[in-house]
Amino acid sequence: MKVLGLILAGSSKSGIEQLTMKRASAAVPVFGKYRAIDFTISNFVNSKIKKVGVLTQYYPRSLMDHLGSGKEWDLDRKTGGLFILQPFFRKKDEIPVYKGTADAIFQNMTLLRRGDEDFVLIGSGDHIYNFDFSELYRFHLSNAADISILTKEIDNEKELSQYGQVITENDGRITEFYEKPEEIKSKRISLGVYFINKALLIELLYTSIPNGGKDLVKDIIIPNLKKLRVYAYDFKGYWSNIKKSIETYYNTNMDILKKEIRQELFYQNKIYTKLKDYAPPKININASVKNSFIADGTIINGMVKNSIISRGVRIKAGAVVENSIILQDTIISEGSVIRNAIIDKDCEIREGREIIGENDIKVIEKGTII
């Protein structure tokens, strides 16, 4: 079975604006040395997908720098491989932009038409999970489905309104699909992963986009729900959408300190990322580290507790970092206290400063000196 993988990584809408002011949400760092997109692209590669297109337009530089030629994911190939797909000029007076998820795929129709793949797997670049899509393939074929959607049941009513909600029959066929309704219709949400026959996708795009369609869910899937066999595959594992809020991003990172989640995300199937030539972390004799993730290239002389410390971070003598996320190449100087905070890349917290989140997580933007 030949499958084309498409990763949607171009949205400018985000609940973590402080971290996405100069980067796409798919390029946001997670777990010390990874980027959010590493999980989706690794899931694709682990599922034997050898051709992957990344559709991006909002601050793509850091994302492109991270992905490079796709070598770390074995996608630097003569046939197939990694394609970074950005909008481009077609007419002199036209503004190159993707107007929605469906429009983004339609503008790259050449990639679909020239390939010999039978199916298309569409995912999002800012979701954290570990899944072998071979299970979804078998589910799709066994149900003779036109479209299969990855779904999950959640109980948090506050989160439910932020996602598309589906209602299914006993066999999993979706009968109703509500895109982010104000009132709760179902506890089963769509995870934004769609497996679809390629010829059908091309037909649906050509029918919808010229008539003003833009969105994959609102303009293609929902209007054709009764005509097509659309099925929900219930995902039971760990899953998080980090761009929903700072709280979600923070909690997702902290989840890696839990053994069962760490084993599911990193030991079930490998998650690949861009390699960097950092030395192993150095924890000096006067330092104290408890229940924390320490990435390579860090030097710690202070106290770290219940925290995520990224590559190249310096925590100097007498500094205290607790319940916090410190991103790459940040310097925490002597005597500083960081609690319940997220410090973005390349920041410098000078001697004796305190950054403490009281009721909410305190976020310090990239490159800030305090």
Side-chain angles (χ1 to χ4, degrees), residues 23-56:
R23 60 165 77 94
S25 58
V28 170
V30 292
F31 306 137
K33 62 179 182 179
Y34 296 89
R35 301 273 184 157
I37 197 171
D38 291 339
F39 288 82
T40 298
I41 198 169
S42 294
N43 289 336
F44 279 17
V45 170
N46 290 333
S47 305
K48 312 301 181 187
I49 296 177
K50 299 178 180 179
K51 186 176 182 180
V52 177
V54 178
L55 296 98
T56 183

Coordinates of all heavy atoms in Angstrom, one line a residue, residues 23-56:
R23 N 7.7 31.9 15.2 CA 7.8 30.5 14.8 C 6.4 29.9 14.6 O 5.5 30.3 15.2 CB 8.6 29.7 15.8 CG 8.0 29.6 17.1 CD 8.7 28.5 18.0 NE 10.0 28.8 18.5 CZ 10.2 29.3 19.7 NH1 9.2 29.6 20.5 NH2 11.5 29.5 20.1
A24 N 6.3 28.9 13.7 CA 5.1 28.2 13.5 C 4.9 27.3 14.8 O 5.8 26.9 15.4 CB 5.2 27.3 12.3
S25 N 3.6 27.0 15.1 CA 3.3 26.2 16.2 C 3.9 24.8 16.1 O 4.3 24.1 17.1 CB 1.8 26.0 16.5 OG 1.2 25.5 15.3
A26 N 4.1 24.3 14.9 CA 4.7 23.0 14.6 C 6.2 23.0 15.0 O 6.8 21.9 15.2 CB 4.5 22.6 13.2
A27 N 6.8 24.2 15.0 CA 8.2 24.3 15.3 C 8.5 24.6 16.8 O 9.6 24.8 17.2 CB 8.9 25.4 14.5
V28 N 7.5 24.7 17.6 CA 7.6 25.0 19.0 C 8.4 23.9 19.7 O 8.1 22.7 19.6 CB 6.3 25.2 19.7 CG1 6.4 25.3 21.2 CG2 5.6 26.5 19.2
P29 N 9.4 24.2 20.5 CA 10.2 23.1 21.2 C 9.4 22.4 22.3 O 8.6 23.0 23.0 CB 11.4 23.9 21.9 CG 11.4 25.2 21.1 CD 10.0 25.5 20.7
V30 N 9.6 21.1 22.4 CA 9.0 20.3 23.5 C 10.0 19.3 24.0 O 10.9 18.9 23.3 CB 7.7 19.6 23.0 CG1 6.6 20.5 22.6 CG2 8.1 18.7 21.8
F31 N 9.8 19.0 25.3 CA 10.6 17.9 25.9 C 12.1 18.1 25.8 O 12.9 17.1 25.6 CB 10.2 16.5 25.3 CG 8.7 16.2 25.4 CD1 8.1 15.7 24.3 CD2 8.0 16.6 26.5 CE1 6.7 15.4 24.4 CE2 6.6 16.3 26.6 CZ 6.0 15.7 25.5
G32 N 12.6 19.3 25.9 CA 14.0 19.6 25.9 C 14.7 19.6 24.6 O 15.6 20.5 24.4
K33 N 14.5 18.7 23.7 CA 15.3 18.6 22.5 C 14.5 18.3 21.2 O 15.1 18.1 20.2 CB 16.4 17.7 22.6 CG 16.0 16.2 22.9 CD 17.3 15.3 23.0 CE 16.9 13.9 23.1 NZ 18.1 13.0 23.2
Y34 N 13.2 18.3 21.4 CA 12.3 18.0 20.2 C 11.6 19.2 19.8 O 11.5 20.2 20.5 CB 11.3 16.9 20.6 CG 12.0 15.6 20.9 CD1 12.4 15.3 22.2 CD2 12.2 14.6 19.9 CE1 13.0 14.1 22.5 CE2 12.9 13.4 20.2 CZ 13.2 13.1 21.5 OH 13.9 12.0 21.9
R35 N 11.0 19.1 18.6 CA 10.0 20.1 18.1 C 8.7 19.4 18.0 O 8.6 18.2 17.7 CB 10.4 20.7 16.7 CG 11.8 21.4 16.7 CD 11.7 22.8 17.1 NE 13.0 23.5 17.0 CZ 13.1 24.8 16.9 NH1 12.1 25.6 16.8 NH2 14.3 25.4 16.8
A36 N 7.6 20.1 18.0 CA 6.3 19.5 18.0 C 6.1 18.6 16.8 O 5.5 17.5 16.8 CB 5.2 20.5 18.1
I37 N 6.6 19.0 15.6 CA 6.4 18.3 14.4 C 7.1 17.0 14.3 O 6.7 16.1 13.6 CB 6.8 19.2 13.2 CG1 6.2 18.6 11.9 CG2 8.3 19.3 13.1 CD1 6.4 19.5 10.6
D38 N 8.1 16.8 15.2 CA 8.8 15.5 15.2 C 7.9 14.3 15.5 O 8.2 13.2 14.9 CB 9.9 15.5 16.3 CG 11.0 16.5 16.1 OD1 11.2 16.9 14.9 OD2 11.7 16.9 17.0
F39 N 6.9 14.5 16.2 CA 6.0 13.4 16.6 C 5.2 12.9 15.4 O 5.1 11.7 15.1 CB 5.1 13.7 17.8 CG 5.9 13.8 19.0 CD1 6.6 14.9 19.4 CD2 6.0 12.7 19.9 CE1 7.4 15.0 20.5 CE2 6.8 12.8 21.0 CZ 7.5 13.9 21.3
T40 N 4.6 13.9 14.7 CA 3.8 13.5 13.5 C 4.6 12.9 12.4 O 4.3 11.9 11.8 CB 3.0 14.7 13.0 OG1 2.1 15.1 14.0 CG2 2.1 14.3 11.8
I41 N 5.7 13.6 12.1 CA 6.6 13.1 11.0 C 7.2 11.7 11.3 O 7.3 10.9 10.5 CB 7.6 14.2 10.6 CG1 8.2 13.9 9.2 CG2 8.7 14.3 11.6 CD1 9.0 15.0 8.7
S42 N 7.6 11.5 12.6 CA 8.1 10.2 13.0 C 7.0 9.1 12.9 O 7.3 8.0 12.5 CB 8.7 10.3 14.4 OG 9.8 11.2 14.5
N43 N 5.8 9.5 13.3 CA 4.7 8.5 13.2 C 4.5 8.1 11.8 O 4.2 7.0 11.5 CB 3.4 9.1 13.8 CG 3.4 9.3 15.3 OD1 4.1 8.5 16.0 ND2 2.6 10.2 15.8
F44 N 4.6 9.1 10.8 CA 4.4 8.8 9.4 C 5.5 7.8 9.0 O 5.3 6.8 8.3 CB 4.5 10.1 8.6 CG 3.2 10.9 8.6 CD1 2.2 10.6 9.5 CD2 3.0 11.9 7.6 CE1 1.0 11.4 9.4 CE2 1.9 12.6 7.5 CZ 0.8 12.3 8.5
V45 N 6.8 8.2 9.3 CA 7.9 7.4 8.9 C 7.9 6.0 9.5 O 8.1 5.0 8.8 CB 9.2 8.1 9.2 CG1 10.4 7.2 9.0 CG2 9.4 9.4 8.4
N46 N 7.5 5.9 10.7 CA 7.4 4.6 11.4 C 6.3 3.7 10.8 O 6.3 2.5 10.9 CB 7.1 4.7 12.9 CG 8.4 5.3 13.6 OD1 9.5 5.1 13.2 ND2 8.1 6.0 14.7
S47 N 5.3 4.4 10.1 CA 4.2 3.7 9.4 C 4.5 3.4 8.0 O 3.6 3.1 7.2 CB 3.0 4.5 9.6 OG 2.7 4.8 10.9
K48 N 5.8 3.5 7.6 CA 6.3 3.1 6.2 C 5.9 4.2 5.2 O 5.8 3.8 4.0 CB 5.9 1.7 5.8 CG 6.1 0.7 6.9 CD 7.6 0.5 7.2 CE 7.8 -0.6 8.3 NZ 9.2 -0.6 8.8
I49 N 5.6 5.4 5.6 CA 5.3 6.4 4.6 C 6.6 7.0 4.1 O 7.4 7.5 5.0 CB 4.4 7.5 5.2 CG1 3.0 6.9 5.5 CG2 4.2 8.7 4.2 CD1 2.0 7.8 6.2
K50 N 6.9 7.0 2.8 CA 8.2 7.4 2.3 C 8.1 8.8 1.6 O 9.2 9.2 1.1 CB 8.8 6.3 1.4 CG 9.0 5.0 2.2 CD 9.5 3.9 1.2 CE 9.7 2.6 2.0 NZ 10.2 1.5 1.1
K51 N 7.0 9.3 1.5 CA 6.8 10.6 0.8 C 5.9 11.5 1.7 O 4.8 11.2 2.0 CB 6.1 10.4 -0.5 CG 6.1 11.7 -1.4 CD 5.5 11.3 -2.8 CE 5.4 12.5 -3.7 NZ 4.8 12.1 -5.0
V52 N 6.5 12.6 2.2 CA 5.8 13.5 3.1 C 5.9 14.9 2.7 O 7.0 15.4 2.4 CB 6.4 13.3 4.6 CG1 5.7 14.3 5.5 CG2 6.3 11.9 5.1
G53 N 4.7 15.6 2.6 CA 4.7 17.0 2.3 C 4.3 17.8 3.6 O 3.3 17.4 4.3
V54 N 5.0 18.9 3.8 CA 4.7 19.7 5.0 C 4.2 21.1 4.4 O 4.9 21.8 3.8 CB 6.0 20.0 5.9 CG1 5.6 20.9 7.0 CG2 6.5 18.6 6.4
L55 N 2.9 21.3 4.7 CA 2.3 22.6 4.2 C 2.4 23.6 5.3 O 1.8 23.5 6.3 CB 0.8 22.3 3.9 CG 0.6 21.3 2.7 CD1 0.3 19.9 3.3 CD2 -0.5 21.8 1.8
T56 N 3.2 24.7 5.0 CA 3.5 25.7 5.9 C 3.5 27.1 5.3 O 3.8 27.2 4.1 CB 4.8 25.4 6.7 OG1 5.0 26.4 7.7 CG2 6.0 25.4 5.7

